[in-house]
Amino acid sequence: MADIPDRKEAVISLWPEFAKAIVSGKKTVEFRRRIPLPALSARIWIYATRPVKSVIGFAYLEAIVQGDVNTLWSRYGREAFLSEQQYRDYFEGTEKATAFLLRDHQPIRPINLDQLKEIRANFQPPQSLTWLRKEETQKLVSLTSQVE
């Protein structure tokens, strides 16, 4: 049973500027086109892509809102830490969007890709989102409490 991913723990990949904005609390909404849906109150570990290549913090999922691209921008665009043009470019060709409303943002000492590969052999940063197993989460949490 320990091999089953936990829908309450996931890693999501973001460009560094957006990852930093989430863990600092400046960005409280993450928009996605298609993504597996975590459980409410899930902890979302924030992986900053190149050149950072590290998990830099986490936030908790307060709510998931799905709907029309225009409606979601009107409701949540101010909290997304991106321009309307960036949003429109991302959702070009689709009418539906998903918004993750995030709370309790927490920066951590960065956990680099090599360390993540010690947690999960052949760890690859997810294209969208990847679930963590209980033992992987425990190892990740233990790395956040280690002092450099």
Side-chain angles (χ1 to χ4, degrees), residues 14-15 17-19 21-22 26-33 69 72-92 97-100 102:
L14 297 159
W15 291 346
E17 66 182 294
F18 298 125
I22 285 177
K26 293 177 186 174
K27 178 177 173 61
T28 59
V29 173
E30 173 60 19
F31 291 112
R32 291 294 168 124
R33 291 172 64 111
V69 168
L72 289 188
W73 176 257
S74 296
R75 287 178 67 189
Y76 302 110
R78 291 177 308 281
E79 302 168 50
F81 198 77
L82 75 159
S83 71
E84 184 173 0
Q85 187 60 54
Q86 288 171 305
Y87 178 82
R88 300 285 172 199
D89 289 347
Y90 179 69
F91 283 104
E92 186 175 354
T98 299
F100 286 178
L102 304 169

Side-chain angles (χ1 to χ4, degrees), residues 35-100:
I35 192 165
L37 300 179
L40 289 180
S41 75
R43 179 170 30 191
I44 309 295
W45 295 87
I46 309 300
Y47 179 87
T49 58
R50 288 181 184 260
V52 178
K53 299 193 299 184
S54 297
V55 169
I56 62 167
F58 59 85
Y60 289 91
L61 184 60
E62 183 172 340
I64 300 169
V65 181
Q66 295 182 298
D68 173 81
V69 168
N70 293 325
T71 301
L72 289 188
W73 176 257
S74 296
R75 287 178 67 189
Y76 302 110
R78 291 177 308 281
E79 302 168 50
F81 198 77
L82 75 159
S83 71
E84 184 173 0
Q85 187 60 54
Q86 288 171 305
Y87 178 82
R88 300 285 172 199
D89 289 347
Y90 179 69
F91 283 104
E92 186 175 354
T94 188
E95 296 176 13
K96 298 293 179 192
T98 299
F100 286 178

